[in-house]
Amino acid sequence: MKERMELMAPCHFGLEAVLKREIQDLGYEICCVEDGRVTFYGDAEAIALANVFLRSAERVLLKVGSVHAETYDELFEGVRAMPWERYLPINAKFWVTKATTVKSRLFSPSDIQSIVKKAMVERLKGVYGVSWFAEDGAAYPVRVFFMKDEAILTLDTTGESLHKRGYRKLTAKAPISETLASALIMLTPWKADRILVDPFCGSGTFPIEAAMMAANIAPGMERSFLAENWENLVERRKWYDAVEEAQDLVDTSVQTDIQGYDIDGEVVRAARENAKRAGVDHLIHFQQRPVSELRHPKKYGFVITNPPYGERLEEKAALPGLYREIGEAFARLDSWSEYVITSYEDAEKYIGKQAAKNRKIYNGMIKAYYYQFPGPRPPKKGSEGRMGAREQK
């Protein structure tokens, strides 16, 4: 499909700027940036490349159309008027997998799902001249976003969310998602030739995502996507080309100093297994170690971490002591930069210093803050190590 399409990439609230930069690095024009999503223009190739290369997006959606609807009749007529036949072949399996609605008169997701499906069926019955659909072909799930009575209708090209890279079989308690970890790393000036330590590494997500960036391993290289079966829209060759391009960019011989510590030995073993599956275990040093033993002889390193939040009452009591230990560990590091995501509201107080910036981020349904304590820049030397962004086209 050569024509220009509108593609939407949802992301974590507060991290739209990171995703926008990633999409621009792929060479695509941004249409608009809204809370929790970035819309851009692309062709069929863009569907494959965005799914394979984007680190901070949750999924890639193809926009079919939008409609202003304050009644179910208006919704039905608006959806029926959309050119679904351009996207769905006669044997397509299609359903409305999700409807979200904010500040709109139509507020029942299940009713919206039902009306949209009926309208699509009516449209396609007229176009294809049939009264019944077998729906035994490729899957084309529909997602509907209602905001202030404006509905956007999209087809989900991804399937299982993009945070499912395929390497994390074993997870620790309260894990951070792969897409969120990536975006938070990309918010810092960390590069592959700089030290990175996560003293609360859990299942290893921060160190693994950093190592994948350092080695230029595209996050979607080892998994499949729903739109691989949409041969009417995206030739299979486009997917092969995207993965081939990703493979050509990989450099696992890169030298890194990436470390992950956790107080729980079982968790450290799980992190090692996950890193092995991601193909980066040789780039990360994992160790069972409490934050009180965090030390590093070198200067200008980075701590990027997701310490315990104390979501359970009995854990809350331990937080002041834990965050004091974090502050003491930071004080021992010479000229380092520290980045901490936590929902603990007294984090700065007990760490013992004020963040230069803090950014509100939602980790799942938990409102958290990303506290940024940037250290001094190292003196200039030759060229910087390259980060895992795809080269400009």
Side-chain angles (χ1 to χ4, degrees), residues 220-235:
M221 219 166 77
E222 298 292 333
R223 54 159 289 173
S224 59
F225 306 97
L226 265 188
E228 286 178 46
N229 297 315
W230 297 4
E231 297 194 32
N232 60 316
L233 294 178
V234 190
E235 296 167 68

Side-chain angles (χ1 to χ4, degrees), residues 24 91 99 108 117 181 191 269 276 292 297 319 375 377 391:
Q24 287 171 326
N91 68 339
S108 162
K117 169 82 184 203
K191 295 280 187 288
R269 274 190 286 281
K276 200 169 185 177
S292 59
L319 291 184
R377 291 181 180 188
E391 292 163 3

Side-chain angles (χ1 to χ4, degrees), residues 140 218 285 294 317 361:
Y140 294 77
H285 173 67
L294 171 57
I361 306 282

Side-chain angles (χ1 to χ4, degrees), residues 7-11 19 23 36-40 54 57 59-61:
L7 301 172
M8 274 170 51
C11 64
L19 176 55
I23 292 165
R37 68 170 179 252
V38 179
T39 305
F40 62 104
L54 292 179
R59 55 185 68 249
V60 179
L61 306 170

